[in-house]
């Protein structure tokens, strides 16, 4: 996976202020190592947006209109988005289609960002 240079604390704080929420700790740890990236995790392809893009991408996809409480942070490079289910206190990760985005189509990916990365790495 090609990773972008790390996000600064100020970039993360600014994004959290725009979003009106604190991002999960393991996701923030990832951002401090790589502010997004693109490529294969095992056999699965993933695109993770930079922290500066989170607010604008969620607005562009009208996420709150179609799946209130979802905060998408990337995609599989095709028709599926990866996001946090902010309705739950621990913000589990789900995969949901961009077209027809709705909670009834969301599939669980893991209980945390790091667990979802492990699941992606194990996909065949």
């Amino acid at each position: 996976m090609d990773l972008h240079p790390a996000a600064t604390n100020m970039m993360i704080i600014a994004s959290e202020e725009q979003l009106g929420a604190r991002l999960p700790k393991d996701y923030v740890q990832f951002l401090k190592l790589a502010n997004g990236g693109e490529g294969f995790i095992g056999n699965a392809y993933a695109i993770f947006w930079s922290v500066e893009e989170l607010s604008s991408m969620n607005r562009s996809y009208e996420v709150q209109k179609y799946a209130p409480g979802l905060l998408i942070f990337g995609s599989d490079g095709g028709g599926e988005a990866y996001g946090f289910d902010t309705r739950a206190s621990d913000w589990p990760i789900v995969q949901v289609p961009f077209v027809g985005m709705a909670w009834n189509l969301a599939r669980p990916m893991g209980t945390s960002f790091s667990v979802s990365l492990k699941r992606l790495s194990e996909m065949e």
Side-chain angles (χ1 to χ4, degrees):
M1 177 170 252
D2 293 323
L3 300 173
H4 302 163
T8 65
N9 286 333
M10 292 302 293
M11 295 162 98
I12 294 166
I13 291 167
S15 179
E16 289 176 332
E17 288 175 358
Q18 284 182 332
L19 295 167
R22 291 193 57 125
L23 297 168
K25 289 180 184 178
D26 66 339
Y27 181 62
V28 169
Q29 288 174 333
F30 168 76
L31 292 170
K32 288 181 177 182
L33 294 173
N35 189 12
E38 181 173 349
F40 285 94
I41 301 173
N43 291 323
Y45 197 81
I47 299 170
F48 298 127
W49 302 326
S50 69
V51 71
E52 302 95 329
E53 295 176 295
L54 293 178
S55 183
S56 64
M57 294 297 273
N58 277 269
R59 274 193 314 275
S60 294
Y61 283 107
E62 300 182 280
V63 175
Q64 293 310 303
K65 177 179 178 181
Y66 299 108
L70 179 65
L71 173 64
I72 56 177
F73 58 81
S75 77
D76 66 356
E80 299 285 321
Y82 299 125
F84 296 106
D85 180 354
T86 68
R87 301 172 306 166
S89 61
D90 58 349
W91 286 31
I93 309 299
V94 296
Q95 185 175 8
V96 63
F98 281 112
V99 177
M101 185 182 296
W103 279 116
N104 65 323
L105 300 175
R107 292 177 307 286
M109 290 291 295
T111 55
S112 68
F113 183 74
S114 54
V115 169
S116 68
L117 290 179
K118 183 172 178 6
R119 182 168 178 194
L120 285 173
S121 73
E122 295 170 346
M123 288 182 154
E124 295 189 22

